[in-house]
Amino acid sequence: MNILNALFKTSIGKKVIMAITGLILVGFVFGHLVGNLQIFSAPEKINAYAHLLQSLGPALWAIRGFLLLTVALHIWSAVALVLENKAARGAKGYANQQTLRASYASRTMRYSGVIVLAFIIYHIMHFTTKTTHGEDFYPMAMLDGHLVPDVHSMMVFGFQQVWVSVFYLVAIALLTLHLSHGISSMFQSIGLRSRTWATCLNKLTIAVCILYFLGNAAIVGSVLSGYVKIQNPNLQVAMGELCTPDCNVCETRIAANN
Ligand code: HEM
């Protein structure tokens, strides 16, 4: 049996596919969080970062294609393993016994997975294809003399909508639950989860997952609480938060106060 047959035709092969694709996706979500945390820095930082990614051109499409293939393989191996387990289980009594022993996170893997997938589709329409909201939600800003998408303001506008923020928080909580079981299973599938360090691995996984949730929640919460605000001068003028230097109305107000 060649290696591809072993990977795609056997249960252990499918587990390895799920573990490797899971590892790549874990790398992506953590990397993505680190990039997004730049919202706490000057707006130019995150705008420059997003502009850099966009300017990768064909390389960006190659990365997107690779991620899409990774997600597809992750879902395929998960569905195939569930079907194999169902077929192998047979007796109902055994199934009940398994359910009792499994953790909440492991029992809800398929539901959290489906909801996270729905979130990703919405999220891409929200921030990448920019199709969920009107064009006012997707402003532009100056960066080194060029007009670029103002990702900082887009994120602020996005999370100022309470229902959007709640949806993100629920989806990220479910993703965290999914990761908490997925990461330790991943170590088991690739044979790196021995009895001696299983407890330590579980604790480490939980700590990392909590940090992951808090990092994302901090982004959403800082906008909702008003800590992170719109800092694009053109938008601030339009919103009446900042005045243009040649504004007659404010000069009058200043004169009247004096
Ligand atoms: C608070 C949480 C999050 C924020 C603030 C956020 C922010 C963003 C932004 C601004 C973009 C668009 C980048 C651009 O095109 O300029 C984006 C794209 C994306 N995000 Fe997120 N994201 C969050 C959570 C997530 C999560 C949890 C996932 C995955 C489970 C995810 C997956 C993606 C994907 C797949 C893209 C498309 C990348 C591309 O091809 O351009 N994001 N995100």
Side-chain angles (χ1 to χ4, degrees):
M1 202 186 311
N2 68 30
I3 188 140
L4 277 184
N5 254 345
L7 275 177
F8 286 92
K9 296 268 163 68
T10 66
S11 291
I12 188 71
K14 285 171 196 140
K15 280 188 179 173
V16 169
I17 291 179
M18 192 141 82
I20 293 171
T21 52
L23 184 67
I24 295 168
L25 295 172
V26 167
F28 169 77
V29 294
F30 277 88
H32 191 44
L33 170 62
V34 172
N36 289 337
L37 284 172
Q38 293 178 89
I39 195 174
F40 293 109
S41 189
E44 293 73 30
K45 279 256 169 143
I46 197 158
N47 288 350
Y49 165 71
H51 183 59
L52 177 79
L53 291 182
Q54 293 300 330
S55 58
L56 290 177
L60 177 63
W61 282 104
I63 296 168
R64 284 173 171 162
F66 175 72
L67 278 176
L68 203 64
L69 180 69
T70 307
V71 171
L73 281 174
H74 193 71
I75 297 172
W76 170 79
S77 52
V79 172
L81 282 167
V82 166
L83 294 179
E84 272 178 22
N85 278 349
K86 259 194 187 160
R89 230 181 253 157
K92 218 178 168 193
Y94 176 65
N96 286 342
Q97 225 181 350
Q98 285 285 91
T99 310
L100 280 178
R101 269 198 234 119
S103 71
Y104 181 74
S106 69
R107 275 185 283 130
T108 52
M109 282 307 266
R110 64 191 84 165
Y111 307 111
S112 55
V114 169
I115 296 170
V116 167
L117 185 65
F119 162 76
I120 296 172
I121 294 170
Y122 175 82
H123 179 55
I124 289 178
M125 290 169 72
H126 188 204
F127 282 162
T128 303
T129 60
K130 303 177 179 171
T131 37
T132 55
H133 290 73
E135 60 179 28
D136 287 353
F137 281 81
Y138 305 109
M140 304 292 278
M142 289 308 283
L143 183 78
D144 300 331
H146 297 282
L147 207 55
V148 299
D150 183 0
V151 172
H152 183 276
S153 300
M154 174 182 82
M155 280 162 68
V156 174
F157 282 148
F159 297 132
Q160 276 175 344
Q161 291 183 296
V162 177
W163 71 267
V164 172
S165 287
V166 171
F167 176 47
Y168 268 72
L169 288 175
V170 170
I172 288 162
L174 287 170
L175 173 61
T176 307
L177 193 70
H178 194 86
L179 291 177
S180 71
H181 177 71
I183 293 176
S184 40
S185 312
M186 184 171 81
F187 278 91
Q188 183 145 20
S189 300
I190 53 180
L192 290 177
R193 190 189 147 99
S194 67
R195 267 172 188 259
T196 35
W197 88 296
T199 319
C200 178
L201 180 67
N202 286 347
K203 284 185 183 159
L204 209 68
T205 305
I206 288 171
V208 164
C209 287
I210 289 175
L211 278 180
Y212 178 74
F213 178 77
L214 290 180
N216 281 295
I219 297 174
V220 176
S222 63
V223 174
L224 270 184
S225 66
Y227 178 73
V228 172
K229 297 188 185 85
I230 295 289
Q231 290 176 51
N232 176 332
N234 288 336
L235 297 174
Q236 286 176 299
V237 168
M239 292 184 311
E241 284 179 5
L242 197 75
C243 211
T244 54
D246 55 349
C247 169
N248 292 329
V249 179
C250 294
E251 272 169 22
T252 316
R253 265 198 217 130
I254 291 162
N257 286 341
N258 289 337

